[in-house]
Amino acid sequence: MASSFQKGFLWGGATAANQCEGGYLEGNKGLTTVDVIPVGKDRFPVMTGEMKTLICDDDHYYPSHEAIDMYHHYKEDIALFAEMGFKCFRLSISWSRIFPNGDDLEPNEEGLKFYDDIFDECLKYDIEPLVTIVHFDVPIHLVETIGAWKNRKMIDYYVRYCETIFNRYKNKVKYWLTFNEINMLLHLPFIGAGLVFAKDENKETIKYQAAHYQLVASAKVTKIAHEINPQFKIGCMLAAGNTYANTCNPKDVWKSMGKDRESYFFIDVQSRGEYPNYAKKMMQNNGIVLQIEDGDEEVLKNNTVDFISFSYYSSRLTSADAKIGAQTEGNVFATLKNPYLKASEWGWQIDPLGLRITMNSIYDRYQKPLFIVENGLGAVDTPDKNGYVEDDYRIDYLRQHIKAMEDAVNEDGVELMGYTPWGCIDLVSASTGEMKKRYGFIYVDKDNDGKGTLARSRKKSFYWYKNVIGSNGEEL
Ligand code: BG6
């Protein structure tokens, strides 16, 4: 039987700079928002912008400072990706390696050189880099001086950063994502946009204004990217997962539609080029008045994305009745417990068919090629003395999701460019800062307190995924 996946399907894995690189002040890198987010009870208040800490102190532990030290291990790590047969490696560029303060007039050569080396290493093995331009980071100097994405000046700094990396890497990188999980801005505003709120500020207005600036910035650089290299493919990135209604009560169905629109709002603008009417009405009804300058709407209209990328870990569930059900965790989006689904150790509900449903919803809505750039199971692994982990639970999760993805392609005709499961090598968790929440095919010897040799070893899933890629998804 022929494979469901097209020739050249981009199998691979995904990471983000702050969760794996470490070397947080090496090579002239500047301090960035993610560097000041500690582990422990202060983590959530900092991530939501409720608690202001723009420096690091000795009382907290900051896992991004060393992470898994990919800064010094990238050759070894990319060689392991190549051994698995990766066709694609999704990584992010750390903004403050390139512009340490964000408003510097000239880029930092050491930072540029670091990513040159990474891309060269990938290309040596015919691995296509897929670059996230901003994965939850803003140079801290821009938070201090202009309030980060509260301020329109951010568009210019972001454009300068993008022009620099587009020109520098125009012959090495073809696929770019402008903002990781752009809808995360509404849920974790410090992570998503470097926003810190004062007591009397109108948070909703600030968040939607910041969203407007990011959307304009994204469209502007899409234009510039296509001018610099017409072969470039620019994608948006959504934290996806359809919201189900708790019952067939139309009130529940209506509520679930509203929840999905909160997220689709961003992609509606990036893919269709204009603010959807439901969003305009929502803002009107909530007294949110956006500062939109002449020319913004035209930029949005004329520079839509080439493809839609998204992360998918779980579906969500909601009810119109506020009293119903206990809340459970789910990638920051609060969701009810779905009695038909099992959950991970962190309460993220496992729903492979939900991936097929989500892919169909997104494809129906935008009719553009999709790219699944995150998916996976965060779990506690127990290695033997050689660092080998029998992670059948991970294999099982991925197998079911790849099968669902195959059905969406084969049975439903969804166009899919590639699949890069999250944390292909163990790395620091974004939501909790833990190391023990592992996603990787490659085990890294490091624990929650930062102890360990950083040695890398292959898990059972490493060999399994290698065979999946080798058979282009035929052997699961
Ligand atoms: C996505 C992010 O939200 O989920 C990643 O883009 C993150 O940065 C991933 O790591 C998994 O979440 P967590 O909290 O398990 O690391």
Side-chain angles (χ1 to χ4, degrees), residues 400-415:
Q400 291 186 55
H401 283 77
I402 295 174
K403 181 75 186 70
M405 173 173 116
E406 188 182 9
D407 290 343
V409 171
N410 230 358
E411 306 289 323
D412 314 328
V414 171
E415 284 175 87

Side-chain angles (χ1 to χ4, degrees), residues 241-410:
N242 274 33
T243 312
Y244 303 153
N246 195 38
T247 71
C248 50
N249 182 337
K251 287 182 181 165
D252 286 345
V253 177
W254 177 242
K255 176 87 186 294
S256 68
M257 185 173 183
K259 281 277 159 209
D260 278 344
R261 277 176 163 176
E262 277 176 18
S263 294
Y264 279 139
F265 154 70
F266 293 85
I267 311 304
D268 285 353
V269 180
Q270 288 179 294
S271 183
R272 294 165 165 171
E274 58 197 15
Y275 276 71
N277 282 348
Y278 68 82
K280 290 186 194 159
K281 288 285 178 195
M282 179 281 290
M283 289 189 221
Q284 247 175 41
N285 295 339
N286 289 286
I288 299 171
V289 182
L290 293 187
Q291 305 299 314
I292 298 182
E293 286 193 3
D294 286 352
D296 284 359
E297 282 165 332
E298 203 185 332
V299 170
L300 293 174
K301 189 72 202 163
N302 295 336
N303 302 288
T304 55
V305 289
D306 300 314
F307 66 98
I308 317 286
S309 85
F310 64 93
S311 60
Y312 175 86
Y313 294 91
S314 182
S315 54
R316 298 159 189 155
L317 180 69
T318 195
S319 164
D321 184 342
K323 293 192 294 297
I324 286 186
Q327 299 281 305
T328 176
E329 297 302 312
N331 199 4
V332 182
F333 297 79
T335 169
L336 297 175
K337 268 196 182 125
N338 185 329
Y340 296 98
L341 302 177
K342 295 207 172 90
S344 79
E345 289 160 271
W346 277 263
W348 295 22
Q349 304 179 91
I350 300 170
D351 183 8
L353 182 55
L355 173 58
R356 182 175 177 184
I357 294 168
T358 299
M359 288 174 75
N360 276 277
S361 300
I362 300 176
Y363 189 66
D364 283 355
R365 199 168 177 111
Y366 303 116
Q367 304 283 309
K368 288 188 183 179
L370 307 188
F371 203 139
I372 302 172
V373 296
E374 284 185 36
N375 172 237
L377 178 73
V380 176
D381 287 338
T382 313
D384 67 14
K385 62 177 183 341
N386 302 313
Y388 181 74
V389 180
E390 245 355 285
D391 54 346
D392 292 293
Y393 38 91
R394 183 168 293 110
I395 294 172
D396 194 45
Y397 176 102
L398 293 169
R399 180 188 288 125
Q400 291 186 55
H401 283 77
I402 295 174
K403 181 75 186 70
M405 173 173 116
E406 188 182 9
D407 290 343
V409 171
N410 230 358

